[in-house]
Amino acid sequence: LADDDADVLQALEAVIESEPWLELVGAAGDVDGVIELARLHRPDVALIDVKMPGGGGPRAAREIARCSPQTRIVAISAYDDRGSVFEMLRAGAVGYLVKGASANEICDMIARSVRGESVLSPEVASEVVHELAEHLEERSSLEQIQRERVERVQGAITGGAVRAVFQPIVELESGEPIGFEALARFTTTPERGPEAWFAEASSVGLRTELELVALHSALTHLGGLPPSTLLSVNLSPTALLAPAVRQALTDAPAERLVIEVTEHAPIEDYDALAQSLRELRASGVRLAIDDAGAGFASLRHVLRLAPDMIKVDGVVIRATDTDRGARALTRSLVTFALEMGQIVIAEGIESEGTMYVLQALGVQHGQGYFIAVPGDLPTG
């Protein structure tokens, strides 16, 4: 027996001692005490209070299961403590008694536990059933939501719902394009931005497949780009390790491709990614680190991957008009890029004033709504 309430413990002792077929081998008022009793005596049954000092009934149940696996554990607690039912069952209890149960109920529970029956007292059985029903309903609802997500993403992948639009990357002084960034757009429901689509694809393990479809959509327009300009495509580190993605890149004219790796995409294995990129870059593919300055990860990407281009995050760029820190960060990236033989591209340029500030800071290339919004490739 184990309970930190002396009166409850005394009442339980009286019940056990009143039955000739039961033998009380020990009683404790805390978790460590009952664990030690179980280790020494290896009882058939242990009646354990759920909320004792020293870690509570669940800890006692787990430790007893290790040191005396044949002991059948019955939890005892207050009637309104519904959560304790599941906590103790998970810890290994086979039965549950409400404090204040009659002597007959206590003895019946002990007997049934010895016979190997997993039972609950009548007072809490309905509570447990209700709790289980809630858990099952919640699980069923989550599974349905996950199925719907899979169906949406698979529909976008197989249904031709992904199309590419293009935003020019220009030389700021002349306005001449040096390349075009391909951006995914979705022509299916629900209507939402590409970030939401790719996030949902990630949640169901289909992001690489969706990125591959977006990549194919962009590559089909490569022949429509103005001569000598580059096509820039966004790919996550995980996608870059996928054979199908690498094959699609290998089949395209390498000298016209730029791969953008975003700051927001975690890189778990730099060595594996560097090796994958090394092979692509040896064929002529260029590498850009996207969203540089948005966080520490982008600077680590720049140092570890040694890109050909550094694309400065639009939030930083838009702040250069008024924020000394943004100007200092941009200037430092320009200095670093010059030292390393890299190109700096400013993202998110939304005003003429920002463009002039960037040029004064030494930024020579950029893109943004002030220059051109993403759209179809120019014709003629």
Side-chain angles (χ1 to χ4, degrees):
L1 302 176
D3 199 302
D4 62 336
D5 187 322
D7 292 335
V8 173
L9 199 59
Q10 185 177 4
L12 289 172
E13 290 175 354
V15 170
I16 302 303
E17 291 171 350
S18 69
E19 296 293 334
W21 60 280
L22 292 176
E23 177 186 2
L24 177 63
V25 297
D30 58 37
V31 170
D32 292 331
V34 72
I35 293 172
E36 181 63 16
L37 286 173
R39 187 185 66 80
L40 291 174
H41 300 288
R42 308 294 176 88
D44 297 304
V45 180
L47 270 62
I48 301 176
D49 181 24
V50 169
K51 295 185 176 179
M52 287 185 298
R59 177 188 165 228
R62 287 190 293 270
E63 293 296 329
I64 291 172
R66 279 194 283 268
C67 70
S68 180
Q70 77 278 9
T71 300
R72 310 287 284 178
I73 299 168
V74 175
I76 51 178
S77 186
Y79 176 77
D80 59 357
D81 192 5
R82 294 173 56 197
S84 299
V85 179
F86 288 96
E87 195 173 4
M88 287 300 290
L89 290 177
R90 284 194 295 269
V94 300
Y96 196 91
L97 278 170
V98 174
K99 288 186 177 181
S102 68
N104 287 338
E105 288 173 330
I106 295 171
C107 293
D108 181 61
M109 176 68 75
I110 294 171
R112 296 173 72 181
S113 298
V114 171
R115 293 196 298 268
E117 300 175 10
S118 297
V119 293
L120 300 173
S121 67
E123 289 85 352
V124 298
S126 62
E127 296 291 324
V128 174
V129 170
H130 177 70
E131 190 80 8
L132 284 171
E134 288 184 347
H135 278 270
L136 289 173
E137 183 178 358
E138 179 181 0
R139 179 176 177 179
S140 176
S141 176
L142 290 174
E143 289 176 348
Q144 177 62 28
I145 291 172
Q146 194 74 347
R147 284 194 296 270
E148 291 172 356
R149 288 173 176 170
V150 170
E151 290 173 0
R152 277 195 299 269
V153 176
Q154 287 180 335
I157 291 171
T158 61
V162 185
R163 63 182 292 262
V165 295
F166 302 86
Q167 187 173 45
I169 302 167
V170 305
E171 199 278 322
L172 294 182
E173 185 174 351
S174 66
E176 289 298 316
I178 65 166
F180 292 81
E181 180 181 356
L183 301 166
R185 296 294 183 264
F186 292 80
T187 58
T188 185
T189 56
E191 294 183 6
R192 55 186 179 177
E195 294 84 1
W197 277 103
F198 284 111
E200 185 167 74
S202 294
S203 73
V204 296
L206 292 172
R207 182 179 181 108
T208 295
E209 290 81 352
L210 188 59
E211 286 191 56
L212 181 59
V213 171
L215 174 61
H216 280 304
S217 177
L219 291 175
T220 59
H221 295 278
L222 186 55
L225 293 180
S228 75
T229 58
L230 302 170
L231 173 64
S232 187
V233 295
N234 292 274
L235 289 169
S236 68
T238 301
L240 282 167
L241 296 176
V245 171
R246 290 172 50 79
Q247 186 61 53
L249 293 169
T250 303
D251 291 342
E255 69 280 359
R256 300 194 65 187
L257 286 182
V258 178
I259 296 171
E260 294 192 22
V261 177
T262 179
E263 193 275 347
H264 304 293
I267 296 177
E268 298 179 359
D269 189 340
Y270 272 101
D271 292 336
L273 180 60
Q275 177 60 31
S276 176
L277 289 170
R278 192 176 299 118
E279 296 171 2
L280 289 169
R281 296 175 75 180
S283 69
V285 174
R286 295 172 175 87
L287 175 66
I289 298 302
D290 197 13
D291 304 319
F296 178 73
S298 61
L299 302 180
R300 185 166 62 245
H301 292 358
V302 168
L303 292 174
R304 295 293 299 272
L305 299 177
D308 303 286
M309 303 174 184
I310 300 174
K311 301 189 73 174
V312 186
D313 182 66
V315 173
V316 175
I317 294 302
R318 287 188 289 274
T320 54
D321 285 359
T322 57
D323 188 275
R324 290 176 58 192
R327 290 194 294 274
L329 176 57
T330 302
R331 187 184 294 109
S332 67
L333 288 172
V334 170
T335 301
F336 176 86
L338 286 173
E339 179 71 21
M340 300 299 293
Q342 299 163 338
I343 295 174
V344 170
I345 299 171
E347 296 186 290
I349 300 174
E350 295 185 351
S351 72
E352 186 176 25
T354 298
M355 190 165 68
Y356 289 145
V357 169
L358 293 171
Q359 289 179 275
L361 294 173
V363 179
Q364 297 179 359
H365 302 88
Q367 65 186 101
Y369 277 39
F370 174 74
I371 297 168
V373 301
D376 297 329
L377 287 175
T379 58

